[in-house]
């Protein structure tokens, strides 16, 4: 190689420093990475997100979702227009600014037959008032009329002149003339529970022979069927079983045909019949006062000339049925 070529070769080698010992320099040293300012970008993202959320909330509560229609469901006791006016809900009001608890409290407090109210928002512009109604459970004979009560002990109507069909008269409450829309006194709370237990057992057993429930004595609960049957239940335990035995006695001995007297199921697993020739439903004035229990013949042993059912088996009557 000539001196000139060697000179140029050295220059090429010097002009290309990427080659070193037969290897490229970039294969040895990693490329440099560009540094990014992530802190500033994150702050901007948070500011944009806060702005978007704030804008959405403002538009939702001021511009969008204005009420255009109000409907009522589940209520046939009161006029829809009256309920809407009483609720205080106004058209063009934003549906998400309504205070549900206040609306419910207002309607339940003003209307005795309303048990609960749910406010449904039907987007984009409709409010639905879903009403749950109270159901009359029993009636208190107040002398001048009847006071209808619900299963929770709320007074639904006062001085109703006509007793609704298949509505039992319930005796034993301390307050004869409570205020409409109120609840029975605290002292009557246990009797409300007993009334509910008796009615539930009656419904499950499909028991038709009653029109008066006497709760005057918690240890001597009674049913009356017109002026023909006095049915003694004793305490509120095993009510379904007691009613089952009573049904067997009535059907087996055909007590609805000519029998008039007492059917006593207060003894465990037994039912005794005592003909008396007449049955007198106790009047309102004969209720025990100040929580004192009325005297009852249920605690005394059955008289002679009675029939019994033990363990669900009907036994023949003994003696004369004339009493």
């Amino acid at each position: 190689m000539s001196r000139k070529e060697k000179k140029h070769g050295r220059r090429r080698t010097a002009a290309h420093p990427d080659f070193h010992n037969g290897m490229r320099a970039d294969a040895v040293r990693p490329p440099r990475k560009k540094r990014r300012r992530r802190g500033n970008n994150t702050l901007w993202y948070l500011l944009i997100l806060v702005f978007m959320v704030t804008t959405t909330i403002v538009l939702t509560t001021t511009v969008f979702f204005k009420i255009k229609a109000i409907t009522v469901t589940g209520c046939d006791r009161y006029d829809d227009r009256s309920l809407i006016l009483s609720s205080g809900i106004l058209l063009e009001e934003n549906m998400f600014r309504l205070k549900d608890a206040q609306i419910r409290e207002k309607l339940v407090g003003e209307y005795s037959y309303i048990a609960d109210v749910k406010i449904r928002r039907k987007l984009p512009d409709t409010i639905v008032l879903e009403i749950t109604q109270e159901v009359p459970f029993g009636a208190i004979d107040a002398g001048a009329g009847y006071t209808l009560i619900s299963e929770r002990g709320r007074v639904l109507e006062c001085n109703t002149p006509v007793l609704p069909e298949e509505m039992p008269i319930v005796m034993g409450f301390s307050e004869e003339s409570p205020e409409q829309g109120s609840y029975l006194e605290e002292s009557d709370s246990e009797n409300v529970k007993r009334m509910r237990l008796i009615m539930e057992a009656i419904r499950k057993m499909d028991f038709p022979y009653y029109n008066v429930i006497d709760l005057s004595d918690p240890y001597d609960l009674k049913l009356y069927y017109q002026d023909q049957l006095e049915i003694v239940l004793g305490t509120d335990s095993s009510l379904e079983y007691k009613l089952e035995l009573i049904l067997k006695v009535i059907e087996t001995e055909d007590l609805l045909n000519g029998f008039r007297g007492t059917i006593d199921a207060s003894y465990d697993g037994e039912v005794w019949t005592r003909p008396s020739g007449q049955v007198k439903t106790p009047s309102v004035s004969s209720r025990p006062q100040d929580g004192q229990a009325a005297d009852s013949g249920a605690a005394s042993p059955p008289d002679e000339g009675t029939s019994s059912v033990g363990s669900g088996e009907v036994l023949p009557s003994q003696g004369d049925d004339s009493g």
Side-chain angles (χ1 to χ4, degrees):
M1 181 180 295
S2 65
R3 186 179 298 176
K4 187 176 182 179
E5 289 176 348
K6 290 180 179 179
K7 184 179 180 180
H8 285 294
R10 286 196 297 270
R11 287 180 180 177
R12 269 198 308 272
T13 305
H16 296 278
D18 292 343
F19 289 89
H20 179 70
N21 296 329
M23 297 181 60
R24 291 177 56 90
D26 57 1
V28 177
R29 292 179 300 179
R32 294 180 179 179
K33 295 183 180 180
K34 296 181 179 180
R35 295 181 179 179
R36 297 180 180 179
R37 297 180 179 179
R38 294 184 178 180
N40 293 338
N41 292 338
T42 303
L43 179 61
W44 277 108
Y45 293 150
L46 288 175
L47 290 175
I48 293 172
L49 179 61
V50 170
F51 174 77
M52 292 177 63
V53 171
T54 304
T55 304
T56 301
I57 294 174
V58 171
L59 292 176
T60 300
T61 56
T62 57
V63 179
F64 303 126
F65 305 113
K66 289 187 176 182
I67 301 171
K68 302 294 183 182
I70 307 171
T71 60
V72 180
T73 62
C75 184
D76 56 9
R77 287 277 179 178
Y78 308 108
D79 178 70
D80 290 358
R81 179 177 173 81
S82 300
L83 294 175
I84 293 172
L85 290 175
S86 298
S87 70
I89 302 174
L90 302 175
L91 296 178
E92 298 300 324
E93 186 178 5
N94 188 277
M95 63 170 57
F96 290 104
R97 301 183 72 175
L98 297 178
K99 297 181 179 180
D100 296 15
Q102 290 184 3
I103 296 172
R104 177 192 177 278
E105 184 178 357
K106 187 182 298 183
L107 290 175
V108 171
E110 186 172 345
Y111 297 93
S112 60
Y113 270 95
I114 294 181
D116 194 16
V117 181
K118 291 183 179 179
I119 292 84
R120 302 292 187 189
R121 292 160 176 83
K122 190 175 180 181
L123 299 180
D125 55 14
T126 302
I127 291 293
V128 181
L129 298 177
E130 293 186 357
I131 306 294
T132 301
Q133 290 191 154
E134 296 273 15
V135 178
F137 209 64
I140 300 174
D141 188 353
Y146 298 100
T147 300
L148 303 186
I149 57 176
S150 71
E151 64 176 334
R152 298 187 302 156
R154 190 179 189 189
V155 180
L156 305 180
E157 291 184 43
C158 295
N159 301 322
T160 302
V162 180
L163 187 67
E165 187 176 357
E166 298 182 359
M167 180 70 59
I169 297 175
V170 185
M171 307 183 66
F173 292 113
S174 60
E175 194 172 5
E176 296 180 17
S177 302
E179 183 180 352
Q180 182 171 340
S182 65
Y183 289 85
L184 296 177
E185 294 182 357
E186 186 68 24
S187 58
D188 289 322
S189 60
E190 291 300 319
N191 270 345
V192 171
K193 294 178 182 178
R194 294 186 188 99
M195 177 185 70
R196 190 183 303 124
L197 289 173
I198 292 174
M199 292 297 293
E200 288 175 356
I202 285 173
R203 289 175 178 174
K204 287 182 179 179
M205 300 308 300
D206 196 20
F207 187 85
Y209 307 116
Y210 76 103
N211 62 299
V212 175
I213 301 174
D214 188 0
L215 308 173
S216 302
D217 186 345
Y219 300 101
D220 191 26
L221 304 175
K222 295 179 180 179
L223 304 177
Y224 289 88
Y225 181 60
Q226 300 177 4
D227 59 350
Q228 186 174 2
L229 299 178
E230 178 191 46
I231 300 173
V232 181
L233 298 174
T235 65
D236 57 13
S237 64
S238 305
L239 288 173
E240 293 180 27
Y241 179 60
K242 292 174 182 178
L243 292 178
E244 181 183 6
L245 295 182
I246 293 169
L247 279 173
K248 284 185 178 182
V249 171
I250 293 175
E251 295 171 359
T252 303
E253 300 190 11
D254 194 20
L255 295 185
L256 295 181
N257 186 16
F259 177 85
R260 194 181 300 271
T262 300
I263 302 176
D264 193 340
S266 60
Y267 302 96
D268 187 19
E270 298 180 346
V271 177
W272 297 84
T273 60
R274 295 194 291 270
S276 61
Q278 63 177 356
V279 172
K280 184 178 179 181
T281 304
S283 63
V284 178
S285 60
S286 66
R287 284 199 318 266
Q289 301 296 323
D290 300 327
Q292 295 180 354
D295 293 335
S296 171
S300 60
D303 299 329
E304 218 173 295
T306 64
S307 60
S308 67
V309 176
S311 303
E313 180 182 359
V314 178
L315 300 180
S317 301
Q318 301 174 0
D320 188 3
D321 284 347
S322 62

